[in-house]
Amino acid sequence: MEGSYPLHICHVNPLSIFINRSHTFIHSIALALLIYYRASFLFLVQHPKTSATPILPWLLVFVAELVLSFIWLIGQAYRWRPVSRTVFPERLPEDDKLPAIDVFIFTVDPNKEPTLKVMNTVLSAMALDYPQGKLHVYVSDDGGSPVTLHGLKEAWRFAKWWLPFCRRYRIKTRCPEAYFSASNDDDDDDDEGFGSSEFIAERKKTQERYEMFKKSISEVKERVRLKGNSRITAQDHPSVIEVIQEDSDEKVQIDQGYIPLLVYVAREKRPSHPHHFKAGAINVLQRVSSVISNSPYILALDCDMYCNDPTSARQAMCFHLDPKISPTLAFVQFPQRFHNICKNDIYDAQLRSAYSLMWCGLDGLQGPVLSGTGFYIKRVSLCGSFIHEDVDFTELKQSFGSSNELIKSLRGNYQPNAIKGQQGLLKETQVLASCTYENDTKWGKEVGFLYDSVAEDLFTGFILHCKGWTSVYCNPSRAQFLGSGSANLNDLMIQGIRWSSGLIEVGFSKFCPLIYGPPRMSFLESMCYGELSFFPFYFLPLWCFATIPQLCLLNGIPLYPKVSSSYFVIFLFIYLSSLAKLLQEILFTGGSFLSWVNEQRIWMMKSVTFHLYGTLDGIMKRIGIKEASFVPSNKVEDDEQVKLYEMGKFGFQIPNMFLVPMVALIILNVASFVGGLVRVVFLGDWDNMFVQVFISFYILVINFPIIEGMIIRKDKGRIQPSVTLLSAMFSTIFLLVGSVILHC
């Protein structure tokens, strides 16, 4: 069948494209009329409000509307030509013709990333449905923890039972924890033996082995905790590379079959040397794996993102082995899906807009953004342009470093001998994983993952697209990878600051997508990257719309057209058009009306908190005031927070730097709404002030959970009275100072 039928099909929905483009066109006209309305005041065109409205609040609102319109406009590139794809893995060549794959798994801190969860990801990767001898798994332990190393050894032992069981009964869910904790087998019965006494007995035996595996990990964690006081820390430790192998005297299961190569890598880290966070860890694994297995393709996974479908590698190869797109295809990106998402996803932890809409739109252009995890990338795409040119050995060393073995691995005919010459080779890998190896090389600048931003995935993907590479988005019905979504507000905020800071770093660099991108890539693709890079700037219009109209309302200053004015229709249309389009997209991607409300609320919360802090952090790093930092996401689930999330209640046990701004804005809008109602009722100013009264009302309705946390709730997740008092003080100060400024 090879060569007769396509390995994949690309689907385009003409109706969806027509709706998107029509909405963009009509909405853009309305925005142009809005801008004319605002500009007519500033340029002293005859205007009914010129004598009644101070220029400062009018100008601030106008700037906010321009920023909001600009981000919306460049974001319409996602909707220009969205596509979806279907793959046919059964049409792939025979197994012996499939290329090898190296799997990279990254962990940092066993206290924030539970070792058992990490090992489940490792086991699910080892159990991928891929030919014998063509799958190799590398685990990067940036913390250099003995707990992680011991966990890998135990995982290797358990794999000798788990992998044969999965292969024999063709189990689909190959993460042991997910499989054994499921209430049913989730359609794992692909074999005639499923349900037989033999299967039941084998399953029970394997589950007993899994319980022993879990116990051994718990015991070593306790031993390490009791031992303590180690001089080796997460930020100061030597490089450790170990190929995990079985003990010679250990009893081996007769039907164990092939076990993929498993390698533990803890790169050297010293306080005096920058380690470049995850990008640095990826580059170390790239170098180490080059002299051990040197597979042409790499699968990158976060430590909590287990393989939920063993066929993901074959699905990715449907694109990588397609002769029509393979020469320029850098990576295949799968969506991030999460196993702990509730139906009432109050935190939008599933990232619906990105993985159900934006990435599909990018796929219709030059390809989706590199998304940190769940992607199969071509190794050669990370080597810059050096191996495509007639470059001599000396020049390659200047780019890739001093390792002769690494330079040899860049040649297509290189045959690594990892296991045969293990002693000498492991010494070579120690050098490749040292903290000084990258000195005076082009690693992180032109080779490997790039270091110019903590959003290393987006930045590296952007540069790949600028170099002419493409990418593909594959979103099958069954989630290929499942991880842990943010089930509490604190983790969401901390992670959001890092993301926002990294995006702003890209936007405020010489590689700004809107300037650097257009000459080198599709203009629409560069617009999408631009929207991502400046997305955190939503904080500016959100802060403005939550404060300026309210302040002016209390001081009797109109900022919007009268209800009787023809321009009121323009503002009303823009508002309704935006909300209707969002609702349509949510419903078309499997969401509900409740999702529509939740996404608006969390967008407001994110914009006034971590988008603001992330933007300031990114700008300070760009101008050299602050050094880059990285706080790993917490993968430990807090039972109380999870319970609140499942009940659809916010857990407001977050730092005041996040909570006070949100509560202060709600108090300000309560005062504005009440004061506005009094004004329109007693002064009859309804025609002038309706829009401003409605803005406060809308903010309060959407963010009712904050009001509930302040006044109604009595559980541990409520907003403490001290926070409410502090926020009220800030709101009062703002009103007093703002009123003085308006009347100056």
Side-chain angles (χ1 to χ4, degrees):
M1 298 177 68
E2 181 185 356
S4 302
Y5 300 97
L7 295 173
H8 63 92
I9 295 177
C10 179
H11 308 279
V12 179
N13 187 337
L15 177 60
S16 175
I17 292 175
F18 174 77
I19 292 173
N20 290 341
R21 295 182 183 181
S22 299
H23 175 264
T24 298
F25 177 71
I26 297 171
H27 198 85
S28 298
I29 293 175
L31 288 176
L33 292 173
L34 180 150
I35 293 171
Y36 171 78
Y37 171 80
R38 293 293 185 197
S40 64
F41 175 89
L42 298 176
F43 291 101
L44 302 179
V45 177
Q46 185 177 0
H47 196 286
K49 295 183 182 289
T50 53
S51 60
T53 306
I55 191 170
L56 180 59
W58 188 275
L59 183 62
L60 289 174
V61 170
F62 186 25
V63 170
E65 289 168 346
L66 286 176
V67 171
L68 197 62
S69 300
F70 173 72
I71 298 175
W72 173 85
L73 184 62
I74 59 177
Q76 295 314 295
Y78 296 116
R79 296 163 176 83
W80 192 251
R81 188 180 178 270
V83 301
S84 60
R85 299 180 186 271
T86 303
V87 295
F88 305 98
E90 66 276 7
R91 298 175 182 175
L92 284 170
E94 298 298 323
D95 284 0
D96 60 345
K97 296 180 181 178
L98 293 179
I101 296 173
D102 289 341
V103 183
F104 293 175
I105 299 171
F106 305 92
T107 184
V108 179
D109 184 352
N111 294 317
K112 291 187 175 181
E113 300 165 337
T115 305
L116 181 62
K117 184 175 287 189
V118 177
M119 294 309 121
N120 269 274
T121 299
V122 171
L123 287 163
S124 69
M126 295 175 71
L128 284 171
D129 177 20
Y130 211 65
Q132 178 174 332
K134 295 191 175 184
L135 187 68
H136 320 94
V137 180
Y138 295 81
V139 178
S140 169
D141 177 19
D142 248 16
S145 171
V147 176
T148 305
L149 178 56
H150 174 83
L152 278 183
K153 293 178 179 179
E154 293 299 325
W156 170 268
R157 295 187 183 100
F158 176 65
K160 292 183 294 184
W161 295 84
W162 176 243
L163 269 60
F165 173 72
C166 291
R167 291 167 184 157
R168 187 179 312 131
Y169 297 103
R170 287 183 266 184
I171 304 298
K172 288 182 181 177
T173 303
R174 298 195 177 184
C175 169
E177 185 67 25
Y179 177 74
F180 289 122
S181 62
S183 57
N184 55 64
D185 290 325
D186 193 25
D187 297 325
D188 278 332
D189 48 325
D190 281 0
D191 190 79
E192 294 179 359
F194 179 81
S196 65
S197 58
E198 179 189 354
F199 168 79
I200 295 172
E202 193 68 29
R203 188 184 191 278
K204 183 179 179 181
K205 187 189 300 182
T206 306
Q207 188 168 8
E208 289 172 354
R209 287 277 177 173
Y210 180 61
E211 294 302 322
M212 293 169 58
F213 164 63
K214 290 166 62 176
K215 184 179 178 182
S216 66
I217 290 180
S218 299
E219 288 173 349
V220 76
K221 287 177 68 176
E222 184 64 19
R223 288 200 300 270
V224 170
R225 186 187 68 82
L226 294 174
K227 185 177 180 181
N229 297 324
S230 173
R231 285 183 289 180
I232 296 177
T233 67
Q235 301 301 321
D236 190 2
H237 59 258
S239 58
V240 178
I241 291 90
E242 184 171 334
V243 177
I244 309 300
Q245 294 179 324
E246 62 183 314
D247 298 332
S248 57
D249 58 346
E250 186 178 353
K251 182 179 178 181
V252 180
Q253 185 181 1
I254 296 175
D255 189 26
Q256 73 171 34
Y258 169 73
I259 306 295
L261 178 71
L262 180 61
V263 182
Y264 171 85
V265 179
R267 59 176 170 146
E268 182 185 15
K269 292 175 76 174
R270 303 298 180 194
S272 57
H273 291 80
H275 54 85
H276 303 294
F277 315 112
K278 185 178 177 180
I282 295 175
N283 288 342
V284 168
L285 284 194
Q286 189 183 343
R287 293 195 296 270
V288 170
S289 64
S290 291
V291 300
I292 294 179
S293 52
N294 199 38
S295 299
Y297 297 96
I298 296 168
L299 165 63
L301 294 174
D302 284 344
C303 63
D304 66 319
M305 191 67 62
Y306 67 82
C307 302
N308 186 57
D309 187 336
T311 67
S312 68
R314 294 180 182 271
Q315 293 190 47
M317 289 306 120
C318 288
F319 301 103
H320 277 303
L321 299 184
D322 182 346
K324 293 181 180 178
I325 65 173
S326 180
T328 60
L329 181 63
F331 61 91
V332 176
Q333 179 68 59
F334 288 92
Q336 294 186 39
R337 301 295 185 204
F338 307 99
H339 60 80
N340 60 335
I341 300 300
C342 293
K343 188 175 182 180
N344 182 16
D345 182 18
I346 55 175
Y347 300 129
D348 188 30
Q350 64 182 322
L351 303 172
R352 179 208 60 84
S353 179
Y355 294 115
S356 297
L357 174 69
M358 295 162 64
W359 271 222
C360 294
L362 280 162
D363 198 18
L365 303 174
Q366 200 172 334
V369 171
L370 198 61
S371 306
T373 183
F375 59 85
Y376 286 83
I377 191 166
K378 190 179 294 181
R379 184 185 291 269
V380 71
S381 68
L382 297 173
C383 296
S385 58
F386 304 101
I387 62 174
H388 296 296
E389 301 170 359
D390 187 18
V391 182
D392 62 30
F393 204 75
T394 304
E395 286 185 73
L396 285 174
K397 280 196 170 187
Q398 290 174 353
S399 300
F400 292 90
S402 58
S403 171
N404 291 331
E405 285 294 320
L406 178 61
I407 302 302
K408 291 177 184 176
S409 73
L410 300 174
R411 308 304 183 187
N413 57 355
Y414 176 74
Q415 293 295 327
N417 54 350
I419 306 304
K420 295 178 182 177
Q422 190 181 115
Q423 193 63 35
L425 195 62
L426 286 181
K427 184 177 289 188
E428 182 77 12
T429 60
Q430 300 273 351
V431 174
L432 293 170
S434 68
C435 61
T436 58
Y437 182 82
E438 294 183 355
N439 292 351
D440 301 319
T441 70
K442 294 185 179 178
W443 283 99
K445 304 180 186 73
E446 298 179 47
V447 176
F449 270 63
L450 307 180
Y451 297 154
D452 212 37
S453 168
V454 292
E456 73 290 321
D457 46 1
L458 175 132
F459 183 50
T460 301
F462 171 67
I463 296 300
L464 286 175
H465 282 133
C466 285
K467 291 179 178 180
W469 292 98
T470 60
S471 57
V472 160
Y473 184 54
C474 185
N475 185 14
S477 57
R478 180 181 174 94
Q480 300 300 291
F481 306 99
L482 282 176
S484 301
S486 297
N488 68 79
L489 199 55
N490 187 61
D491 290 349
L492 182 73
M493 294 290 174
I494 292 173
Q495 188 179 58
I497 288 181
R498 187 178 78 231
W499 286 351
S500 299
S501 177
L503 295 175
I504 289 296
E505 282 183 289
V506 176
F508 281 82
S509 70
K510 65 180 181 180
F511 300 105
C512 174
L514 297 178
I515 300 173
Y516 187 84
R520 299 170 175 84
M521 60 163 44
S522 155
F523 180 71
L524 290 175
E525 183 87 3
S526 65
M527 285 176 62
C528 293
Y529 272 106
E531 195 271 348
L532 284 169
S533 298
F534 292 106
F535 188 84
F537 260 87
Y538 270 125
F539 86 86
L540 185 61
L542 264 291
W543 267 97
C544 183
F545 293 143
T547 56
I548 304 302
Q550 292 76 2
L551 180 63
C552 290
L553 174 60
L554 292 173
N555 285 274
I557 300 172
L559 291 177
Y560 294 90
K562 295 180 179 181
V563 175
S564 57
S565 168
S566 58
Y567 280 103
F568 173 77
V569 178
I570 300 299
F571 281 82
L572 179 63
F573 174 81
I574 291 171
Y575 170 74
L576 295 177
S577 169
S578 300
L579 293 186
K581 181 59 177 169
L582 175 63
L583 180 60
Q584 177 255 322
E585 290 175 347
I586 288 174
L587 295 177
F588 274 46
T589 53
S592 63
F593 180 81
L594 191 59
S595 305
W596 181 67
V597 175
N598 287 337
E599 288 193 23
Q600 291 180 74
R601 181 193 306 120
I602 203 66
W603 172 63
M604 293 180 187
M605 289 182 173
K606 290 176 178 179
S607 296
V608 300
T609 54
F610 70 65
H611 282 163
L612 169 62
Y613 297 130
T615 299
L616 295 176
D617 185 72
I619 292 174
M620 285 191 294
K621 283 187 285 188
R622 270 287 163 249
I623 62 180
I625 296 177
K626 188 176 182 293
E627 290 188 359
S629 60
F630 182 91
V631 179
S633 302
N634 186 14
K635 304 299 192 301
V636 180
E637 294 184 347
D638 184 309
D639 292 339
E640 284 191 9
Q641 294 281 1
V642 170
K643 186 176 180 181
L644 286 172
Y645 171 66
E646 290 174 347
M647 294 168 61
K649 293 184 176 181
F650 281 81
F652 290 111
Q653 300 122 304
I654 58 176
N656 283 353
M657 64 178 289
F658 298 122
L659 195 53
V660 169
M662 292 192 292
V663 177
L665 290 176
I666 291 299
I667 293 173
L668 173 63
N669 278 269
V670 169
S672 170
F673 180 63
V674 173
L677 282 181
V678 171
R679 173 176 290 278
V680 299
V681 170
F682 290 99
L683 300 181
D685 211 6
W686 186 264
D687 197 31
N688 274 329
M689 296 299 183
F690 172 77
V691 176
Q692 283 157 261
V693 173
F694 180 78
I695 289 174
S696 289
F697 172 74
Y698 183 70
I699 290 173
L700 295 177
V701 170
I702 290 294
N703 292 283
F704 178 75
I706 299 178
I707 301 175
E708 182 185 40
M710 293 164 54
I711 302 172
I712 302 173
R713 286 172 56 183
K714 303 300 179 184
D715 55 77
K716 291 183 179 180
R718 74 185 190 279
I719 297 171
Q720 298 297 325
S722 59
V723 174
T724 303
L725 186 62
L726 180 63
S727 303
M729 183 180 70
F730 279 115
S731 297
T732 303
I733 293 172
F734 173 79
L735 286 174
L736 292 175
V737 174
S739 298
V740 170
I741 294 174
L742 287 177
H743 289 95
C744 285

